[in-house]
Amino acid sequence: MNQTDFDFVVVGGGPSGATAAHDLVRQGWRVLLLDRQGRTKPCGGAIPPRLIQDFDIPDHLLVAKVRCARMISPTDNKVDIPIDNGFVGMVDRDEFDEYLRDRAAQSGAVRRQAIFDKLEHDDSGQLWVHYTPVTSKEHAALEHAKPIKVSTRMVVGADGARSEVARQAIPNAHKTKYVFAYHEIIESPVGQPGYDAARCDVYYQGEVSPDFYGWVFPHGKTMSVGMGSADKGYSLRSATARLREIAGLTHAPTLRREGAPIPLKPLPQWDNGRDVVVIGDAAGVVAPSSGEGIYYAMDCARRVSKAAHEALKTGNSACLKQGRKSFMKQHGRVFWILGVMQYFWYQNDKRREKFVKICEDRDVQRLTFESYMNKELARKDPMAHVRIFLKDMAHLLGMART
């Protein structure tokens, strides 16, 4: 076998890419991590206890600990769901992502700030990655930078929604759906009536989002206020302004604004059958209905990294498919349920009103958060599931009052 510059080149240094680089280098592989940096993805920043535990996240990265979620209906019905015996951690993505990239580098990954250009197989079948180094000054020296190419045995694409790696190498990569997310980071209105640094507010209102939801999430000294929609003609910025007005946050200073597409359906195929595989947003692993992505991105990275390790170790590229197979076996049912839930309950304000009403039920609250915190469907109390099913049917058939 010809010697290559690297065993793996990971394109993208978000939670998924940084996790993959960290896992692969700890397996003994030579890893190059490419990331352009300088751009923070719009994200509520919630991470469940399962993520903190599985990926050894230090407490100092948690800028807030949420102990209650408030659901707000179109008629302003507020349902508070306490998080019993625990909390949901909140992170700032710029600090969180940088910590993960640095951890990968400390473990031995070679880290480069760069823009990915293209993949190339030469006549001998060798895989090359072309990239252009960038400076930290918002790509100011890009036009003077000299493109570089490195040889590698495998590429891991973690370059987000509408991944360029996926576009160049993965069949049917365009076959996914997106929600366009937008948020504004504002100063926390400490001392303002109604402000709670340990509560997430979720707005299920058509005037905020016609097909998704809006959020107000605490981040310690700051807050993330935003919304999402798959309607390309919908003004996300105007909707966020309405949300801030509804939430009484119009006059809070705005620190920055961010927007990006968020995939809501896993790609049908994550690898090219040979030497390229995608993970995280590039693979479409964001939960429907909730839009949660950090845990799924990192879990996806870990499972695919294990499969990629086996593929290089054994020389059998078919092992790559085990990454997607393992992920979908663990999370596919949850994704399907959340997809159906989003399709049905988010269609109009009448259904949103019923959805929030259902959330008043303690069985729903308990099982929802057990599943969220532990990242698997709660199975401890089968009768609770039966009760929820009967209540849901009563709402669907108009037999329950809203």
Side-chain angles (χ1 to χ4, degrees):
M1 181 185 70
N2 294 330
Q3 179 69 11
T4 58
D5 295 316
F6 295 95
D7 298 308
F8 289 94
V9 173
V10 180
V11 180
S16 191
T19 298
H22 181 247
D23 283 8
L24 290 167
V25 79
R26 292 182 71 193
Q27 295 274 16
W29 301 109
R30 298 163 300 143
V31 179
L32 172 63
L33 175 61
L34 300 178
D35 188 66
R36 67 170 60 194
Q37 297 169 47
R39 175 184 171 276
T40 305
K41 174 188 171 184
C43 176
I47 61 173
R50 179 69 182 270
L51 185 155
I52 296 170
Q53 174 186 327
D54 287 359
F55 298 94
D56 300 318
I57 303 303
D59 192 71
H60 72 82
L61 288 176
L62 306 181
V63 295
K65 295 181 179 180
V66 170
R67 303 182 187 277
C68 176
R70 172 171 287 181
M71 324 284 273
I72 303 168
S73 79
T75 63
D76 205 38
N77 178 32
K78 297 180 177 68
V79 177
D80 285 355
I81 305 178
I83 302 172
D84 298 326
N85 304 315
F87 64 87
V88 174
M90 305 300 293
V91 297
D92 285 338
R93 283 293 301 273
D94 49 357
E95 295 178 7
F96 182 72
D97 292 14
E98 176 58 23
Y99 171 83
L100 296 176
R101 288 190 290 265
D102 185 62
R103 181 163 71 176
Q106 292 293 330
S107 296
V110 176
R111 182 178 168 186
R112 294 286 182 267
Q113 189 171 353
I115 292 177
F116 167 74
D117 295 322
K118 67 177 181 177
L119 304 173
E120 176 189 37
H121 286 94
D122 63 23
D123 292 340
S124 68
Q126 175 62 55
L127 177 60
W128 295 84
V129 174
H130 296 248
Y131 67 90
T132 303
V134 297
T135 67
S136 58
K137 294 182 178 180
E138 200 62 32
H139 313 154
L142 184 58
E143 61 187 53
H144 306 295
K146 183 179 179 181
I148 294 174
K149 74 172 185 175
V150 294
S151 57
T152 184
R153 298 173 66 190
M154 191 169 292
V155 167
V156 179
D159 49 337
R162 296 177 174 168
S163 158
E164 183 60 22
V165 171
R167 189 191 70 80
Q168 293 186 25
I170 307 299
N172 301 314
H174 62 286
K175 292 185 178 179
T176 190
K177 298 178 180 179
Y178 297 95
V179 160
F180 297 89
Y182 172 83
H183 79 161
E184 297 176 357
I185 300 298
I186 66 172
E187 287 186 11
S188 294
V190 179
Q192 179 174 308
Y195 170 72
D196 187 341
R199 189 188 72 223
C200 283
D201 293 350
V202 185
Y203 288 77
Y204 295 98
Q205 300 179 350
E207 65 175 322
V208 172
S209 172
D211 52 0
F212 207 56
Y213 64 82
W215 67 82
V216 178
F217 287 175
H219 280 238
K221 295 180 180 179
T222 66
M223 301 188 82
S224 166
V225 183
M227 49 77 63
S229 175
D231 185 343
K232 294 181 180 179
Y234 196 68
S235 174
L236 307 186
R237 193 158 176 168
S238 297
T240 300
R242 285 195 295 275
L243 173 58
R244 289 183 62 170
E245 183 178 356
I246 293 167
L249 299 170
T250 299
H251 300 296
T254 303
L255 305 179
R256 68 176 190 265
R257 298 177 172 89
E258 296 152 352
I262 308 294
L264 288 185
K265 185 178 180 181
L267 293 185
Q269 187 172 333
W270 291 0
D271 68 274
N272 69 343
R274 182 180 178 185
D275 51 14
V276 180
V277 64
V278 292
I279 56 177
D281 278 15
V285 293
V286 178
S289 179
S290 69
E292 182 194 358
I294 301 178
Y295 171 78
Y296 293 112
M298 295 175 72
D299 186 64
C300 167
R302 178 147 292 173
R303 293 171 188 273
V304 170
S305 295
K306 182 178 179 181
H309 166 76
E310 290 298 321
L312 284 199
K313 181 181 175 182
T314 63
N316 180 10
S317 59
C319 292
L320 283 176
K321 299 196 180 303
Q322 290 303 312
R324 187 183 190 281
K325 184 176 180 180
S326 170
F327 182 90
M328 296 305 292
K329 182 178 180 180
Q330 179 66 31
H331 305 297
R333 188 178 173 207
V334 171
F335 274 42
W336 182 82
I337 291 171
L338 291 175
V340 171
M341 194 173 94
Q342 178 180 334
Y343 173 79
F344 184 83
W345 291 114
Y346 293 5
Q347 281 198 7
N348 54 57
D349 274 355
K350 185 177 180 180
R351 290 187 180 181
R352 292 186 191 98
E353 195 70 41
K354 289 185 177 182
F355 173 67
V356 173
K357 182 68 177 178
I358 289 172
C359 292
E360 292 179 357
D361 187 89
R362 282 299 294 166
D363 286 329
V364 171
Q365 294 179 11
R366 181 169 54 83
L367 293 182
T368 296
F369 270 102
E370 279 184 18
S371 297
Y372 172 79
M373 305 283 264
N374 301 310
K375 286 299 165 237
E376 53 188 37
L377 292 174
R379 298 184 176 88
K380 294 180 183 177
D381 187 352
M383 284 310 298
H385 286 279
V386 172
R387 289 194 298 272
I388 289 172
F389 173 77
L390 294 174
K391 293 167 187 173
D392 279 356
M393 289 304 296
H395 279 278
L396 291 175
L397 296 173
M399 297 165 62
R401 297 176 60 186
T402 57

